[in-house]
Amino acid sequence: MPKELESGSHESPDDPASTAQTLELLCHLDNGAHGNVACVVWEPMGDGKKVISLADSHILLWDLQASSSQAVLASSAALEGRGQLRFTAGRWSPHHNCTQVATASDTTLRGWDTRSMSQIYCIENAHGQLVRDLDFNPNKQYYLASCGDDCKVKFWDTRNVTEPVKTLEEHSHWVWSVRYNHSHDQLVLTGSSDSRVILSNMVSISSEPFGHLVDDDDVSDPEEHHAEKSKEPLQDNVIATYEEHEDSVYAVDWASADPWLFASLSYDGRLVINRVPRALKYHILL
Amino acid sequence: MAAAAAVGPGPGDSPEGPEADAPGRRRKTHGMLKLYYGLSEGEAAGYSAGPDSLDPTDLNGAHFDPEVYLDKLRRECPLAQLMDSETDMVRQIRALDSDMQTLVYENYNKFISATDTIRKMKNDFRKMEDEMDRLATNMAVITNFSARISATLQDRHERITKLAGVHALLRKLQFLFELPSRLTKCVELGAYGQAVRYQGRARAVLQQYQHLPSFRAIQDDCQVITARLAQQLRQRFREGCSGAPEQAECVELLLALGEPAEELCEEFLAHARGRLEEELRSLETDLGPSPPAPDVLEFTDRGGNGFVGGLCQVAATYQELFAAQGPAGAEKLAAFARELGGRYFVLVERRLAQEQGGSDNSLLVRALDRFHRRLQAPGALLAAAGLSELATEIVERVARERLSHHLQGLRAAFLSCLTDVRQALAAPRLAGKEGPSLAELLANVASSILSPIKASLASVHLFTAKEVSFSNKPYFRGEFCSQGVREGLIVGFIRSMCQTAQSFCDSPGEKGGATPPALLLLLSRLCLDYETATISYILTLTDEQFLVQDQSPVTPVSTLCAEARETARRLLTHYVKVQGLVISQMLRKSVETRDWLSTLEPRNVRAVMKRVVEDTTAIDVQVGLLYEEGVRKAQSSDSSKRTFSVYSSSRQQSRYAPSYTPSAPMDTNLLSNIQKLFSERIDVFSPVEFNKVSVLTGIIKISLKTLLECVRLRTFGRFGLQQVQVDCHFLQLYLWRFVADEELVHLLLDEVVASAALRCPDPVPMEPSVVEVICERG
């Protein structure tokens, strides 16, 4: 996430300035009218001219003109409903020509069409408590992961919002962050305030076709894996639980360069970088 | 003479004895006489047997030797004694002589009279012999005469015999000639039996002599009449208005007339079918769609008497009449019985199905018993038709359905009981007065579950009562008891109870609105009680009532207990989550909605914190009603003071101090990390144990962790930090007493204050003494 934009939000402290290179303020998102910004996201594809920011109960679409240092508020929408609704997280879908954004507010997940700024789907009570984070499957349309204070990670198909496709309940406290691996979307990373990071293998709902995996197995090991091959693709399991952190883990993410590398950050400032276990890596690759 | 007198002076001595001189021979004669007089040898010997009968010196002994005796006397005795014995002996000899003389005189007369008698007898016999001779001659004469008479009567006798034969023949002929008219008369009078008997008697004769024209005519006449008779009989038979016995008679007569049995058998069955179908129809109308049908007992009674009785009768008559038909006939009957029986069963099942909703088993069992008992008789008669097995199957099916009905009833009872509890829990809030306590509610629930179970068991037990005819069937002795009652009903119910209870954990009402937490607590306790006692009690009760003889595997008590325990644990964990969530929400709202940057200097503990403590106390009371205290770590008498001083002065100070300087964060993190290295990781949503302390610890853990996370998301001004400090101290003062390990509370609260300090651009902590004062005042 570009730091220039972070500087625009009230939440971010101004400590990054002390690093080696000084940062230059390119653009200012003037959102004084809408209160606290919970989240700012770039359009994942395209020329990087569009940014969505979530401020309290408003979703704002900004247009950054490359030439000027001005951000223009292209369009906005507001949440309606009783009580004080506030966005907690948002993600831009990489599919459908980047026209969809999903947001979380309280226990509800909503999908928005950025062209009309109108709601396209809504998952009421997606989690028992507050939804903390969400992520789109980068390789499989309509698939979405969310996590929240009920210690659960849920996987949704946005075409059928009545039931989650899958639910994971491995953490013992709020789950703060969930991330799909960019290229192998069966790998899902979650970070929680029980100070654990969990790497799960969600083969059954990934874009990776089952048959492909089996075929590869067969080629490499034609005589051995006959018994295994029928059930192996269906096994969703926890690959590893990382307990290096001493305090709540608030952010996890995958490296953008190396698909087998990921980092997690906890409250006490500890940044842990881990690798996907070698055996699993070869298993996926071969 | 002297010798003889010396030897045999016994009273039994006969007068013939004296002539014998050799002692051996005399003895022999003696014995013979004695035999003659009927004295036994032993008795005879008894007279002469002395102490030593072989002693030759014994005067009375059989082996007396005079020489030896004399020698002995002479050698042993002095003279005077010799003289004495001599005189003694002489005296004895004399006495013997005189005795003998008297005997001879006395017996002489008897000899004389005996001789006379013999002589007279001789004379008489001679006379008798003469008479006998005369008799013999007379008899010879008589024989002669009689022979002559019979010779003369011989041919007359023969003629009489012949005449008698002719007479009989003539009578038979007369019968034959009269036969047509008699038959006609019989037919007219309706005495079919008589007619058939006549016909039967004449048939063979007519058959034999049919070559004679006159007989032929009679036979033809008879045949015509017989045909008419048969026709009439058939008519009567077909009319079917007459009862079964008369029909049977008709068939019997027709059979006697030589009608083809096959055809008759068909017709007979067809008629029987008509009658039985009528019975079935009347049963069906009873069944009807309308509810006020006669009760099931009456229904099966009528079915049993009407249909089954009729079927029995038909079967018995059939077997009597068509026994000659062999296996083919029996097969036909069996098929007949099977078909009608099947239809009857369909009706009975429909009726029984109507009964399924009812709650009274005793009537049903009695009805089934009658039904089953009634079918035992034809079952024996019609083994091939298998009606008895079918009936047993129906009874079994009904029993199974009753079991599932009871299971449903129990489930419904449980659910309604839960609804009652919900209402009772909701009521006090509405009415504002004290409702029944949780313990009372628990007792109510337990009893209102147990009593239907017992009632169901008792009511199902009727199926296996000894006096019920089907209770000794293998199904009712084995599978019904073990698989049906024990597994299906009792174990099934306990399982479904656990599932229902567990479903409260999975319900979407995670926000706590759907299920009142008290209900969760109550159910958890209920399941735990089941685990400890009730399950084994119920199963023992079941096993006692239904002596399970089946060897098929049954669910052991331990498995059920484990399930119940798991349910209890899940419910309690869920309770902790729900209650924790309630308090968490309160804390979160309080942190999120406040503007911590521009807050004023703290004067009071915030009301939310007091509310949290109040709620926790209320939960403590609620849980305390149902669960035991549990163990907590040892603590000092004034825990709050001591630990507060530690936490507020030394540790806190050391953590706040560096944050004044710009290079602070590193040190703070280092310190807190080092601290955490030595403290255990806290699993916030961890399973709880079955005691109050563990439950409260769980709830407080969840709440404080939430507080911590919320504080980390905010930015605090100086007074904001101080307010947090005050609040935490207040919580510290009141919460330690609820948890198992107070260190946990301190740790979390420390963390909260430390986090708030980190999120504060101007962290100036309040003086601990001031904090204490504020807390004590609030």
Side-chain angles (χ1 to χ4, degrees):
Chain A
M1 187 160 295
K3 285 176 176 103
E4 307 92 319
L5 288 170
E6 293 266 315
S7 67
S9 90
H10 291 293
E11 295 259 23
S12 71
D14 46 1
D15 46 10
S18 62
T19 46
Q21 229 170 355
T22 43
L23 296 168
E24 185 187 346
L25 178 70
L26 285 180
C27 175
H28 186 73
L29 302 181
D30 181 22
N31 63 338
H34 301 297
N36 283 349
V37 173
C39 171
V40 181
V41 256
W42 287 96
E43 182 182 18
M45 312 273 174
D47 47 8
K49 294 250 177 78
K50 286 181 182 164
V51 165
I52 285 279
S53 73
L54 302 174
D56 273 355
S57 63
H58 294 272
I59 174 166
L60 309 169
L61 175 64
W62 303 86
D63 196 352
L64 307 174
Q65 272 123 3
S67 54
S68 77
S69 59
Q70 273 277 297
V72 180
L73 184 62
S75 56
S76 71
L79 267 182
E80 283 123 25
R82 55 196 174 74
Q84 202 177 17
L85 291 172
R86 208 184 287 173
F87 286 114
T88 52
R91 294 292 280 183
W92 204 314
S93 162
H95 306 290
H96 310 291
N97 208 12
C98 303
T99 53
Q100 287 185 13
V101 171
T103 62
S105 53
D106 198 19
T107 63
T108 312
L109 284 177
R110 283 169 221 271
W112 304 84
D113 188 330
T114 53
R115 293 166 298 188
S116 60
M117 281 317 254
S118 59
Q119 186 174 308
I120 39 180
Y121 54 84
C122 173
I123 310 176
E124 299 267 7
N125 282 326
H127 283 268
Q129 299 170 46
L130 194 72
V131 181
R132 290 276 167 192
D133 194 16
L134 67 162
D135 196 17
F136 277 98
N137 187 325
N139 301 329
K140 198 172 181 183
Q141 289 188 6
Y142 309 112
Y143 274 69
L144 176 68
S146 66
C147 60
D149 285 3
D150 57 357
C151 318
K152 288 174 187 160
V153 180
K154 292 185 179 180
F155 296 88
W156 304 89
D157 183 337
T158 57
R159 293 163 296 186
N160 175 18
V161 297
T162 50
E163 281 284 307
V165 184
K166 193 102 191 162
T167 303
L168 281 183
E169 204 171 353
E170 303 289 345
H171 286 290
S172 71
H173 202 240
W174 306 350
V175 186
W176 282 77
S177 178
V178 58
R179 285 292 177 270
Y180 276 109
N181 188 302
H182 302 306
S183 39
H184 304 287
D185 54 281
Q186 66 265 50
L187 302 178
V188 176
L189 205 54
T190 51
S192 151
S193 44
D194 65 358
S195 4
R196 290 191 182 96
V197 176
I198 292 182
L199 177 61
S200 316
N201 191 8
M202 306 302 295
V203 192
S204 68
I205 51 169
S206 76
S207 65
E208 204 107 351
F210 300 162
H212 175 64
L213 212 94
V214 172
D215 281 351
D216 279 359
D217 245 4
D218 270 355
V219 170
S220 62
D221 244 337
E223 66 279 354
E224 255 180 60
H225 289 272
H226 279 291
E228 270 183 283
K229 72 172 186 184
S230 55
K231 59 182 176 181
E232 195 178 20
L234 291 172
Q235 278 174 347
D236 293 339
N237 54 356
V238 171
I239 299 162
T241 304
Y242 300 94
E243 309 210 354
E244 282 88 354
H245 293 285
E246 302 288 347
D247 209 326
S248 308
V249 179
Y250 292 122
V252 289
D253 214 337
W254 292 93
S256 42
D258 183 351
W260 310 109
L261 211 57
F262 60 89
S264 52
L265 179 67
S266 65
Y267 175 76
D268 50 11
R270 185 178 296 183
L271 178 75
V272 176
I273 298 180
N274 268 307
R275 240 175 232 290
V276 175
R278 198 176 290 269
L280 179 75
K281 174 174 162 183
Y282 289 141
H283 185 82
I284 292 172
L285 284 178
L286 293 177
Chain B
M1 195 71 209
V7 171
D13 259 357
S14 55
E16 291 93 336
E19 301 97 347
D21 38 3
R25 200 172 145 218
R26 208 169 50 234
R27 237 199 111 61
K28 201 176 165 190
T29 335
H30 250 122
M32 286 171 80
L33 274 171
K34 273 175 187 160
L35 264 176
Y36 179 77
Y37 284 109
L39 288 166
S40 75
E41 190 62 38
E43 219 177 324
Y47 288 107
S48 53
D52 186 2
S53 57
L54 289 174
D55 187 3
T57 59
D58 182 8
L59 267 178
N60 295 327
H63 301 274
F64 177 68
D65 192 341
E67 291 300 323
V68 178
Y69 182 67
L70 275 178
D71 264 0
K72 193 183 169 212
L73 276 182
R74 264 195 303 250
R75 247 182 285 133
E76 288 176 1
C77 302
L79 186 60
Q81 201 179 345
L82 265 177
M83 291 302 290
D84 282 349
S85 63
E86 202 231 337
T87 51
D88 187 36
M89 200 161 290
V90 168
R91 193 170 35 85
Q92 276 185 12
I93 290 171
R94 271 195 203 122
L96 279 174
D97 273 343
S98 68
D99 277 356
M100 197 172 293
Q101 272 178 356
T102 345
L103 275 173
V104 169
Y105 289 141
E106 272 175 6
N107 285 319
Y108 188 72
N109 280 336
K110 289 183 189 164
F111 274 116
I112 301 293
S113 71
T115 322
D116 284 353
T117 316
I118 290 172
R119 196 174 297 134
K120 214 167 122 196
M121 268 169 73
K122 257 185 190 162
N123 282 336
D124 289 353
F125 272 120
R126 203 165 290 138
K127 232 193 302 183
M128 230 153 85
E129 210 167 291
D130 291 348
E131 279 174 11
M132 284 304 283
D133 281 349
R134 251 193 356 255
L135 184 65
T137 46
N138 284 350
M139 281 308 290
V141 174
I142 291 168
T143 317
N144 214 356
F145 275 124
S146 118
R148 277 218 312 272
I149 290 168
S150 54
T152 40
L153 284 180
Q154 181 72 32
D155 60 293
R156 194 165 294 175
H157 177 70
E158 272 169 15
R159 274 168 56 203
I160 289 172
T161 319
K162 216 165 153 188
L163 281 176
V166 171
H167 176 71
L169 194 63
L170 281 176
R171 274 185 59 189
K172 274 189 194 160
L173 278 176
Q174 190 191 4
F175 171 73
L176 278 182
F177 286 123
E178 280 175 2
L179 185 61
S181 60
R182 277 195 201 208
L183 282 177
T184 326
K185 210 170 158 192
C186 280
V187 170
E188 275 165 9
L189 287 175
Y192 302 109
Q194 187 72 23
V196 170
R197 262 198 302 286
Y198 287 155
Q199 211 272 340
R201 267 163 64 188
R203 195 187 324 170
V205 180
L206 290 174
Q207 197 77 26
Q208 200 181 344
Y209 296 104
Q210 59 181 338
H211 55 278
L212 298 174
S214 53
F215 282 109
R216 175 132 210 152
I218 293 172
Q219 193 188 16
D220 291 347
D221 281 357
C222 279
Q223 270 171 356
V224 170
I225 295 167
T226 311
R228 215 171 63 222
L229 174 64
Q231 207 175 351
Q232 279 192 11
L233 279 174
R234 251 166 215 275
Q235 178 110 26
R236 236 182 95 185
F237 177 50
R238 282 198 192 109
E239 274 166 11
C241 55
S242 46
E246 284 161 50
Q247 279 207 329
E249 193 193 331
C250 283
V251 171
E252 198 179 352
L253 293 178
L254 282 169
L255 275 177
L257 284 177
E259 293 286 320
E262 191 100 349
E263 196 182 308
L264 279 176
C265 147
E266 293 284 349
E267 276 189 38
F268 177 75
L269 285 183
H271 276 285
R273 179 189 300 275
R275 277 203 311 279
L276 292 175
E277 273 177 355
E278 202 145 304
E279 293 282 352
L280 286 177
R281 264 195 297 282
S282 88
L283 280 180
E284 199 165 0
T285 50
D286 277 355
L287 192 60
S290 51
D295 71 31
V296 67
L297 191 59
E298 200 178 318
F299 180 83
T300 47
D301 255 0
R302 284 173 63 171
N305 290 337
F307 174 78
V308 181
L311 189 61
C312 281
Q313 211 171 19
V314 167
T317 320
Y318 184 91
Q319 285 183 337
E320 210 170 278
L321 291 176
F322 303 105
Q325 286 279 70
E331 184 50 44
K332 215 178 268 178
L333 177 63
F336 170 79
R338 255 201 300 279
E339 193 211 324
L340 285 174
R343 283 170 57 186
Y344 172 60
F345 288 155
V346 169
L347 288 179
V348 170
E349 279 207 89
R350 269 171 60 190
R351 182 68 187 85
L352 289 173
Q354 290 179 359
E355 209 58 25
Q356 278 309 323
S359 57
D360 186 14
N361 258 8
S362 63
L363 198 64
L364 182 67
V365 169
R366 269 169 61 203
L368 283 175
D369 180 33
R370 295 230 179 133
F371 164 71
H372 189 259
R373 208 186 284 272
R374 253 347 263 244
L375 277 165
Q376 290 307 306
L381 210 54
L382 304 162
L387 291 185
S388 166
E389 284 81 5
L390 285 173
T392 311
E393 271 173 31
I394 287 181
V395 172
E396 285 177 17
R397 236 183 342 260
V398 170
R400 281 201 192 97
E401 275 163 22
R402 283 312 288 181
L403 282 180
S404 64
H405 173 77
H406 277 291
L407 180 57
Q408 273 169 9
L410 286 181
R411 281 186 184 149
F414 179 57
L415 287 180
S416 78
C417 162
L418 285 186
T419 317
D420 289 350
V421 172
R422 267 170 188 260
Q423 278 168 0
L425 287 176
R429 273 172 235 155
L430 297 176
K433 58 172 181 165
E434 275 296 300
S437 77
L438 275 182
E440 277 170 42
L441 278 178
L442 178 68
N444 281 348
V445 172
S447 68
S448 62
I449 294 173
L450 205 55
S451 60
I453 287 182
K454 282 184 179 163
S456 290
L457 276 181
S459 133
V460 164
H461 193 247
L462 290 172
F463 278 100
T464 60
K466 276 213 178 59
E467 65 272 14
V468 176
S469 63
F470 48 76
S471 65
N472 58 357
K473 294 277 166 200
Y475 169 75
F476 281 98
R477 298 179 70 82
E479 201 195 334
F480 179 77
C481 291
S482 70
Q483 294 303 312
V485 176
R486 192 183 190 277
E487 292 297 295
L489 188 62
I490 301 302
V491 175
F493 171 67
I494 293 173
R495 287 230 161 102
S496 90
M497 197 179 99
C498 287
Q499 274 166 9
T500 311
Q502 286 210 6
S503 70
F504 286 113
C505 302
D506 306 329
S507 61
E510 277 170 323
K511 287 190 161 181
T515 317
L519 180 64
L520 290 174
L521 193 65
L522 191 98
L523 281 176
S524 155
R525 183 69 219 188
L526 183 71
C527 287
L528 195 65
D529 284 348
Y530 265 70
E531 190 255 335
T532 48
T534 318
I535 286 178
S536 63
Y537 167 69
I538 295 175
L539 285 183
T540 316
L541 194 73
T542 315
D543 288 347
E544 273 170 8
Q545 280 195 17
F546 299 87
L547 292 169
V548 176
Q549 295 162 338
D550 203 10
Q551 291 307 311
S552 61
V554 290
T555 317
V557 177
S558 56
T559 315
L560 273 186
C561 285
E563 278 173 31
R565 192 178 180 82
E566 173 63 17
T567 309
R569 198 189 56 72
R570 281 194 59 184
L571 283 167
L572 197 63
T573 307
H574 191 63
Y575 172 77
V576 168
K577 276 192 188 176
V578 169
Q579 292 288 33
L581 187 62
V582 171
I583 295 179
S584 297
Q585 295 288 16
M586 224 149 51
L587 287 169
R588 168 190 274 168
K589 285 260 158 57
S590 79
V591 174
E592 280 177 357
T593 52
R594 198 177 171 100
D595 184 3
W596 292 97
L597 278 169
S598 56
T599 185
L600 295 175
E601 188 171 6
R603 298 263 167 243
N604 282 314
V605 178
R606 284 188 302 148
V608 184
M609 296 303 160
K610 289 179 182 164
R611 179 81 198 281
V612 166
V613 171
E614 276 168 22
D615 281 10
T616 313
T617 315
I619 292 170
D620 183 62
V621 170
Q622 193 178 50
V623 178
L625 284 175
L626 293 181
Y627 278 98
E628 294 75 30
E629 179 72 25
V631 250
R632 55 178 91 224
K633 282 195 179 172
Q635 56 204 357
S636 69
S637 56
D638 194 0
S639 207
S640 57
K641 283 270 195 266
R642 183 181 61 83
T643 47
F644 174 70
S645 59
V646 170
Y647 127 95
S648 59
S649 54
S650 64
R651 221 157 72 188
Q652 200 177 5
Q653 289 300 338
S654 70
R655 284 173 77 174
Y656 290 154
S659 58
Y660 296 115
T661 62
S663 63
M666 272 311 285
D667 293 344
T668 322
N669 290 342
L670 193 67
L671 273 175
S672 79
N673 280 346
I674 289 172
Q675 262 177 8
K676 278 176 189 163
L677 277 180
F678 293 102
S679 63
E680 280 175 30
R681 190 188 288 270
I682 301 164
D683 254 346
V684 182
F685 289 112
S686 56
V688 289
E689 285 161 33
F690 297 108
N691 58 54
K692 192 177 83 174
V693 169
S694 173
V695 169
L696 265 292
T697 307
I699 293 171
I700 289 172
K701 248 183 349 191
I702 292 172
S703 315
L704 293 187
K705 180 75 177 175
T706 306
L707 179 65
L708 173 64
E709 294 296 338
C710 291
V711 162
R712 284 179 180 179
L713 288 177
R714 306 288 299 181
T715 310
F716 295 86
R718 178 197 295 180
F719 296 130
L721 169 65
Q722 291 181 353
Q723 183 68 59
V724 169
Q725 219 182 327
V726 168
D727 291 349
C728 285
H729 182 63
F730 181 77
L731 289 180
Q732 158 93 6
L733 276 180
Y734 289 98
L735 290 186
W736 65 267
R737 70 188 86 211
F738 298 122
V739 298
D741 183 8
E742 60 191 77
E743 205 45 45
L744 191 83
V745 176
H746 304 158
L747 207 70
L748 279 166
L749 288 173
D750 275 3
E751 203 64 48
V752 171
V753 177
S755 298
L758 270 181
R759 295 291 303 168
C760 178
D762 179 23
V764 179
M766 196 178 245
E767 275 299 308
S769 54
V770 183
V771 172
E772 263 176 72
V773 168
I774 294 176
C775 285
E776 267 154 33
R777 197 178 58 202

